[in-house]
Amino acid sequence: SSGAGALAQWVLVELQGEVEPRQSGSLAGSLLGDLHYTCEGIPVLIVGHHILYGKVVQLEKPFAVLVKQAGAPQSSPGEPHGHYTVTALIKTKLLFKTRPKPIITHVPKKV
Amino acid sequence: SLVIRGEKDERAVLCSKDKTYDMKIADTSNMLLFIPGCKTPEQLNADPASCNVIHSQIAGFSKNYWELRRCRPKLKKLRKLLMEDPYEGPSIQKDQTLTFSKYTTEDLLSLIQASEEEILHQLQVIDACKIEGRYWRILEFNYEMKLLDHVTQLIDSESWSLNKVPLRTCLEELGSLEPREMIEHILLSYGRKYVDDGEVYFEMREDKICRAVAQMLLQNAVKFNLSEFQEVWQQSVPEGMTTRLDQLKGLALVDKSSRPETIFLLKVEDLPEDNQERFNSLFRIREKWTEVDITPYIQDLCAEKQTVGALLTKYARSSMLNGVKVYNSRRPIS
């Protein structure tokens, strides 16, 4: 339920396998791809020259995203030795588990 | 808020105010990307105006996550800690220079893998009390029996009904023998408190008193002749109380196969907390168990909504012995 100061809701995208940067570089800052939804609400992901079809799944067990707080290293006995803050909740995921299909532009037939 | 508890040699648990959960790391071969502000089809449909490209950032990704499963609170350690230094009464002057472990509620919260409510409830179940205000203590058994004996003797000499034992008179009559807090504590442990016409009374708990007397008798020998024990036991409990073997569930075990039948002390709280280890130790004590005999020794292992039958199916194998269903170990026990 939402209210003032409610937790942010994020979405999970689940992909099979690994995602690698195109050139040898880092993932940070790079573009992954484009996400579309069809009229029926089916998610479509275009990564590079591949297209993936997925489905929207409501998570039976939602996730909480925890961020570790940089805290004082020394703490008195009885005090917690670390703090995590719940940053966001994830209740929905976009699951892509079909094989990516390469997108081939139309090749005109030879006459 | 939630707390993760555990010492370095323990498996981490997560505790809410009143529940405990086992924590496990789950690995997936898939990549999980988290995207703040990513919209679902429903959210986009609801906003027909947006035909624009929304630039979203992937906040991060992971290939594993923590999974929680509700579990039994791990409370065996609580009794173990408090038994390090049981309270033997004010007359025993312990050498003050020796530092005995003493535990406050905060200490227990950081040492016991259970939620606060589960810990406080267990302290009540084991009749722990706060002595000197801050520290939780368990009474040493013989001292506890001495206190109980004072009370039952007073009940007898005053000819009170076992259901109406007045607190005030107990404190007056026994206050010179023992600390008042201890008299009240023993009444609270072995009786049910109620108020009648402004006065506090206790309804003495017959089963618990009979059980304590049995423990006192049984702890002095490896085993007893059953019929002799039953006779002595009945004679030892307060006038008006009736002993029954079913009062001793989880405390003592009858060996019906010996001639004559015998009984020996076996306390469930002395057995391992882990399911498999508990069953192993039970099968070491006795090869084959009936469901009636084993139930008091595995009842506390049941998870939420789990039955004793389910536990037996998982950890034991059944067979018939003289027309009776018995359970034995699934594998050889060393």
Side-chain angles (χ1 to χ4, degrees):
Chain A
S1 59
S2 53
L7 224 40
Q9 300 256 6
W10 291 2
V11 167
L12 201 66
V13 168
E14 187 169 343
L15 302 173
Q16 279 187 334
E18 303 272 343
V19 173
E20 283 176 356
R22 187 177 289 219
Q23 266 84 24
S24 56
S26 69
L27 288 173
S30 306
L31 173 71
L32 171 71
D34 297 335
L35 176 67
H36 303 260
Y37 294 106
T38 66
C39 302
E40 288 90 23
I42 295 178
V44 178
L45 192 61
I46 300 177
V47 180
H49 58 257
H50 284 94
I51 183 164
L52 298 93
Y53 291 91
K55 65 175 182 174
V56 178
V57 176
Q58 296 306 321
L59 293 173
E60 226 178 79
K61 283 192 181 178
F63 282 106
V65 181
L66 305 179
V67 174
K68 193 164 187 180
Q69 302 299 302
Q74 295 301 338
S75 47
S76 52
E79 282 294 304
H81 297 155
H83 286 94
Y84 290 91
T85 310
V86 178
T87 301
L89 291 180
I90 300 176
K91 297 186 183 173
T92 312
K93 77 173 174 188
L94 307 178
L95 174 62
F96 293 92
K97 60 178 184 184
T98 57
R99 247 180 145 206
K101 296 182 179 50
I103 303 169
I104 302 170
T105 51
H106 176 69
V107 177
K109 283 195 192 123
K110 279 195 175 150
V111 175
Chain B
S1 57
L2 308 169
V3 184
I4 298 175
R5 298 199 159 108
E7 299 201 81
K8 287 205 169 80
D9 60 338
E10 292 169 329
R11 286 206 164 121
V13 299
L14 184 116
C15 303
S16 65
K17 188 130 212 318
D18 63 346
K19 297 184 176 71
T20 306
Y21 300 83
D22 275 323
M23 287 181 76
K24 295 221 155 73
I25 292 189
D27 271 314
T28 168
S29 55
N30 293 351
M31 267 195 106
L32 306 172
L33 308 170
F34 356 112
I35 306 175
C38 174
K39 298 219 188 285
T40 60
E42 290 75 32
Q43 287 165 328
L44 287 172
N45 277 339
D47 184 12
S50 70
C51 270
N52 303 319
V53 175
I54 304 169
H55 292 277
S56 297
Q57 291 225 347
I58 300 170
F61 65 89
S62 181
K63 298 203 82 166
N64 56 48
Y65 52 91
W66 293 346
E67 214 172 43
L68 302 177
R69 192 187 299 186
R70 178 98 194 262
C71 65
R72 284 180 287 121
K74 303 186 197 308
L75 295 166
K76 194 173 155 81
K77 192 173 170 185
L78 179 60
R79 180 184 282 269
K80 180 177 151 239
L81 293 180
L82 296 183
M83 292 288 271
E84 283 171 2
D85 184 24
Y87 184 65
E88 291 177 46
S91 51
I92 311 288
Q93 293 295 343
K94 286 236 165 93
D95 190 343
Q96 294 303 313
T97 59
L98 294 172
T99 43
F100 286 99
S101 316
K102 283 200 169 58
Y103 301 97
T104 61
T105 308
E106 286 65 43
D107 292 330
L108 295 175
L109 282 172
S110 64
L111 289 167
I112 307 295
Q113 292 187 292
S115 69
E116 183 169 355
E117 270 184 36
E118 286 162 332
I119 292 174
L120 292 174
H121 178 256
Q122 186 67 4
L123 285 167
Q124 203 181 33
V125 165
I126 62 177
D127 293 325
C129 55
K130 273 192 177 171
I131 298 181
E132 294 158 23
R134 299 185 62 218
Y135 301 110
W136 287 100
R137 307 291 294 277
I138 269 184
L139 263 48
E140 196 262 321
F141 186 67
N142 291 334
Y143 179 59
E144 186 170 329
M145 290 301 102
K146 187 170 147 204
L147 287 167
L148 185 60
D149 194 52
H150 284 317
V151 169
T152 53
Q153 292 225 23
L154 185 63
I155 293 173
D156 192 47
S157 67
E158 298 283 328
S159 301
W160 286 329
S161 154
L162 288 165
N163 294 330
K164 201 164 184 179
V165 176
L167 171 65
R168 191 218 293 246
T169 318
C170 285
L171 293 175
E172 279 166 11
E173 297 297 316
L174 301 172
S176 54
L177 300 170
E178 297 293 343
R180 293 166 71 93
E181 307 84 66
M182 289 295 107
I183 295 163
E184 187 164 358
H185 175 72
I186 205 75
L187 285 164
L188 283 165
S189 304
Y190 285 90
R192 270 182 217 98
K193 184 175 171 176
Y194 66 95
V195 176
D196 184 25
D197 208 12
E199 289 289 319
V200 177
Y201 295 95
F202 288 89
E203 181 190 334
M204 299 316 287
R205 291 161 66 177
E206 181 180 21
D207 289 350
K208 193 165 176 181
I209 292 175
C210 288
R211 201 178 157 96
V213 172
Q215 181 177 333
M216 195 169 61
L217 295 170
L218 290 168
Q219 67 181 13
N220 293 322
V222 173
K223 60 183 168 191
F224 277 84
N225 175 304
L226 178 63
S227 52
E228 279 173 23
F229 164 77
Q230 283 179 296
E231 211 181 300
V232 175
W233 186 28
Q234 180 60 65
Q235 285 165 13
S236 308
V237 298
E239 186 82 34
M241 289 196 178
T242 310
T243 57
R244 294 184 324 270
L245 278 177
D246 68 75
Q247 290 162 342
L248 305 185
K249 285 188 164 136
L251 177 71
L253 199 56
V254 171
D255 186 355
K256 298 193 184 75
S257 65
S258 61
R259 293 281 168 269
E261 289 183 338
T262 56
I263 184 168
F264 60 96
L265 194 68
L266 179 62
K267 294 198 276 175
V268 63
E269 55 261 30
D270 289 341
L271 298 173
E273 196 171 30
D274 169 76
N275 287 14
Q276 186 64 63
E277 284 176 39
R278 171 79 61 90
F279 273 92
N280 290 355
S281 69
L282 286 172
F283 289 127
R284 252 182 235 117
I285 290 163
R286 180 182 281 184
E287 200 192 330
K288 294 186 200 284
W289 291 74
T290 61
E291 186 167 343
V292 168
D293 279 350
I294 204 172
T295 295
Y297 292 101
I298 57 175
Q299 186 82 67
D300 61 309
L301 300 179
C302 289
E304 218 180 354
K305 295 171 197 164
Q306 190 176 33
T307 61
V308 162
L311 276 174
L312 286 169
T313 305
K314 187 169 177 187
Y315 292 97
R317 187 182 293 148
S318 70
S319 56
M320 295 301 279
L321 182 67
N322 302 331
V324 178
K325 191 173 190 182
V326 290
Y327 295 90
N328 53 284
S329 175
R330 281 183 172 269
R331 44 189 134 126
I333 298 287
S334 53

